[in-house]
Amino acid sequence: MISRLGLHFPANLTYGCWERAGTQLSDIVSSSAWCLGDWLVCGQENYPDRYVLALETAGLDYQTLRNYAWVARRFPLERRREPLSFQHHAEVAALDVASQDKWLDLAEAGRWSRNELRRQLRDQRQGKRADAASMLLIPRVSVARERVERWRAAAQRMDNHLENWMVLALDRAAEDVLSAESQ
């Protein structure tokens, strides 16, 4: 049983039921900001005259709700990335659509936390990374999940992010081929 104060579990709760409850709770927590944002957008569009009353009834901080609605508007359902959190999307929401997609692609491929995405964005803005105009996005390559996981494990063993590790591995391979050709 769910209340505002928490959960009450029956005495005869099975492990399977307990495990399913955890999965459902995790899904609810992960989707709550999106759901509130979508709810607010719908209210603004359909009930502009009663919208503020509903906000007061919900009992949530106005600025937080405004942020949820803003991010939800910037990312229609079809553009949201399930593996990434609402906070990942919020980090890039102010960017143009192409830049949003680029950074979300990188975050998804690298399994970046929200904090790592924030750090990468900050580094890029501060010029610690190559100028965006001089960077090329390599073509997408379809690769079996097992191979990517193997590469990710190797990168982690080298205390590196997958993308950095891949660039280093490709540079080494190119150097080997090019130096063999010159001999």
Side-chain angles (χ1 to χ4, degrees):
M1 175 144 358
I2 297 176
S3 76
R4 275 182 60 88
L5 301 178
L7 294 172
H8 174 74
F9 293 100
N12 61 347
L13 182 71
T14 67
Y15 174 81
C17 288
W18 174 80
E19 186 179 46
R20 278 190 302 282
T23 301
Q24 290 172 338
L25 289 168
S26 176
D27 289 346
I28 290 168
V29 167
S30 296
S31 68
S32 64
W34 283 123
C35 292
L36 282 167
D38 293 337
W39 174 73
L40 290 162
V41 170
C42 177
Q44 287 172 329
E45 291 171 357
N46 295 298
Y47 313 104
D49 54 329
R50 294 178 280 178
Y51 170 74
V52 175
L53 253 158
L55 291 181
E56 291 170 5
T57 302
L60 296 167
D61 178 66
Y62 176 74
Q63 187 59 49
T64 300
L65 292 174
R66 275 186 44 153
N67 292 343
Y68 290 167
W70 182 72
V71 174
R73 258 193 227 89
R74 299 285 292 160
F75 290 96
L77 278 168
E78 62 276 1
R79 289 198 54 241
R80 297 175 188 174
R81 312 287 182 91
E82 191 166 340
L84 300 177
S85 69
F86 177 88
Q87 288 75 23
H88 282 90
H89 291 79
E91 288 297 325
V92 299
L95 303 174
D96 62 82
V97 171
S99 296
Q100 289 172 351
D101 287 339
K102 172 191 144 190
W103 285 103
L104 292 177
D105 284 345
L106 290 169
E108 192 171 349
R111 290 182 162 175
W112 292 347
S113 66
R114 188 281 321 251
N115 287 342
E116 177 62 18
L117 174 58
R118 179 180 281 177
R119 186 182 70 73
Q120 294 280 342
L121 286 163
R122 184 182 59 242
D123 287 353
Q124 195 269 333
R125 277 192 298 269
Q126 292 174 349
K128 291 181 182 172
R129 302 237 176 257
D131 184 87
S134 68
M135 292 177 64
L136 295 175
L137 289 178
I138 60 172
R140 288 182 184 240
V141 178
S142 296
V143 179
R145 181 178 302 275
E146 298 78 32
R147 292 176 83 184
V148 174
E149 292 307 319
R150 184 171 180 234
W151 298 340
R152 190 179 313 285
Q156 286 174 343
R157 188 165 292 163
M158 300 293 291
D159 199 27
N160 211 334
H161 293 287
L162 178 61
E163 297 78 23
N164 296 336
W165 180 87
M166 290 172 73
V167 169
L168 289 171
L170 289 170
D171 282 344
R172 275 188 238 118
E175 183 62 35
D176 290 348
V177 169
L178 296 173
S179 65
E181 281 181 359
S182 65
Q183 293 176 354

